[in-house]
Amino acid sequence: QQVLVEEQPKSDEGAREREEALSQLCEEERLLYERLPKGRAVHMDELVGDGLTAQKVMSKSTMLEVKGLIKFLPGGRIIRVE
């Protein structure tokens, strides 16, 4: 007997994974993620301030990339993965 499984579109799956990753962010990761504008890359230097040092921006952005929430671009820029 064959069982048919209805697959959800990949975009729904990606959105679900993103929501799960967002729910597990630490305070500094969340702060950094929320500073990133949607659809526009920013230079890492623009994210320094309000308690985030350059060192923290680099380490927390690395964690965000590992979690699939951002992407590093050439020239020290970062963009949200939507």
Side-chain angles (χ1 to χ4, degrees), residues 11 27 45 55 69:
S11 60
E27 185 178 330
D45 291 346
Q55 185 177 21
L69 296 172

Side-chain angles (χ1 to χ4, degrees), residues 2-41:
Q2 189 175 18
V3 177
L4 297 176
V5 178
E6 185 176 315
E7 288 190 47
Q8 294 193 356
K10 296 289 182 193
S11 60
D12 288 349
E13 187 176 313
R16 213 175 18 257
E17 289 173 0
R18 187 171 44 257
E19 287 302 316
E20 184 177 334
L22 286 170
S23 72
Q24 297 175 4
L25 297 181
C26 73
E27 185 178 330
E28 291 173 329
E29 290 169 342
R30 182 171 303 285
L31 176 62
L32 180 59
Y33 183 79
E34 289 173 353
R35 283 188 183 179
L36 291 169
K38 291 181 181 180
R40 183 173 68 85

Side-chain angles (χ1 to χ4, degrees), residues 36 39-47 57-58 61 65 70-80:
L36 291 169
R40 183 173 68 85
V42 296
H43 194 275
M44 291 176 62
D45 291 346
E46 296 177 50
L47 303 169
V57 167
M58 186 61 186
S61 62
E65 184 182 41
I70 68 167
K71 184 176 181 180
F72 286 108
L73 300 175
R77 296 176 301 135
I78 304 172
I79 192 165
R80 273 185 176 194

